Amino acid sequence: MSDSADVAARHTAVLTGAAEDPGGATEALGQVFDAGAREFDRLTPTVWGPAGQSLAFQLRLRPGDTVLDVCCGAGASAIPAAAAVGPTGLVHAVDVADDLLELGRVTASDRALRNIDFVRADATRWEPPSDVPLGRYDVLSCSYGIFFLPHPNMATARLLRLLRPVSRVGVTVWRRGALEDVTGAYFEAVARHVPDASRPIRPSALADLDTPDALRAWLSRFGAASVEVNELSNLIPLSPEFAWDLVLGSALRAPLMSLTDDVVEAVRLEYLALLTERDVEVVDAGTLVATAVVVR
Ligand SMILES: C[S@@+](CC[C@H](N)C(=O)[O-])C[C@H]1O[C@@H](n2cnc3c(N)ncnc32)[C@H](O)[C@@H]1O
């Protein structure tokens, strides 16, 4: 396989969850998010931010808590967590996308938060460093990230082992039907220009984790108790700029990574035309926010 074909295959694997080389797929995912850091940042106020704030709130963080936030991006949930746990607590925010981590560091510095470290690492291999008391965290949080982890059930079980005997866990995921109009139009546009592009955006292992019942059952499998699932309603007015940011600033960008600028522009125009044709005026970014207590 040529270098560019290999890179393209790994980017496709990111979307299908079909990677035989999970390490390679994770690196490729980091490259996708790095390439879209500017657009990702523009999505924070409307998309990532509300979910991250809700998750930090629902986790009932207390001063002094130690928090591991995996797939942290630019800190949508990690920054509010750092504010909540205060100077006696700490947050380790872990991601594989360097440029998003740097955005997070800038935000933390702007807010004078000194209790948060943004670290480049694969969440599936993370070990608590020596500044974590007794080597175990009080809280694990992950906003819109759990479905990206290769072997997500195994990865989640491993992450939960990094927690203290009584601890809390929280995740956010897209609610069933969320983003459907935009992803439908986008993948149709991609398919017209890249016939062999793969359709699914979520790895199949967690594709059904998009209803409160499914999420509750999934968390219970890990021995989590007192599971609380709330739906965050988030209806965002659609402009052409926002519609395209949503593609470039998320994993939807992956199929575009190996295309020429001309083809990317053709996909963009086709995608926007389909949204207009279908009268899509609002993006449903409905999200499930789930938290639970873990006792071991
Ligand atoms: C949709 S973004 C969400 C970011 C952030 N939690 C937020 O809500 O804004 C998913 C993030 O997961 C990260 N990611 C995916 N797989 C990862 C892994 N194995 N280890 C660390 N980060 C990972 C990506 O780099 C990306 O930043």
Side-chain angles (χ1 to χ4, degrees), residues 26 29 33 40 48 71-72 76 95-96 100 121-123 143-144 149:
T26 298
L29 187 53
F33 277 98
F40 182 99
W48 318 121
C71 305
C72 67
D95 202 286
V96 286
L100 299 190
D122 182 339
S143 196
Y144 300 124
L149 301 179

Side-chain angles (χ1 to χ4, degrees), residues 129-155:
S130 58
D131 58 339
V132 181
L134 304 174
R136 293 286 177 266
Y137 296 95
D138 296 305
V139 178
L140 170 68
S141 71
C142 182
S143 196
Y144 300 124
I146 212 77
F147 35 75
F148 286 122
L149 301 179
H151 309 297
N153 293 322
M154 265 165 52

Side-chain angles (χ1 to χ4, degrees), residues 173-178 180 202 207-211 214 284 286 288:
V173 296
W174 302 111
R175 190 247 299 117
R176 182 163 296 175
E180 226 166 54
R202 271 174 290 186
D208 294 334
L209 210 64
D210 54 5
T211 66
D284 175 357
L288 300 178

Side-chain angles (χ1 to χ4, degrees), residues 126-195:
W126 180 255
E127 290 291 341
S130 58
D131 58 339
V132 181
L134 304 174
R136 293 286 177 266
Y137 296 95
D138 296 305
V139 178
L140 170 68
S141 71
C142 182
S143 196
Y144 300 124
I146 212 77
F147 35 75
F148 286 122
L149 301 179
H151 309 297
N153 293 322
M154 265 165 52
T156 303
R158 182 185 181 279
L159 285 165
L160 291 175
R161 288 198 289 274
L162 307 182
L163 298 178
R164 290 190 178 181
V166 181
S167 48
R168 277 157 289 144
V169 58
V171 299
T172 74
V173 296
W174 302 111
R175 190 247 299 117
R176 182 163 296 175
L179 305 184
E180 226 166 54
D181 290 342
V182 279
T183 55
Y186 171 65
F187 280 108
E188 219 172 297
V190 170
R192 288 184 193 174
H193 294 275
V194 194

Side-chain angles (χ1 to χ4, degrees), residues 9 17 25 43 54 66 113 161 169 179 182 268 271:
L43 295 173
S54 302
T66 54
L113 291 167
R161 288 198 289 274
V169 58
L179 305 184
V182 279
R268 185 181 76 85
Y271 162 61

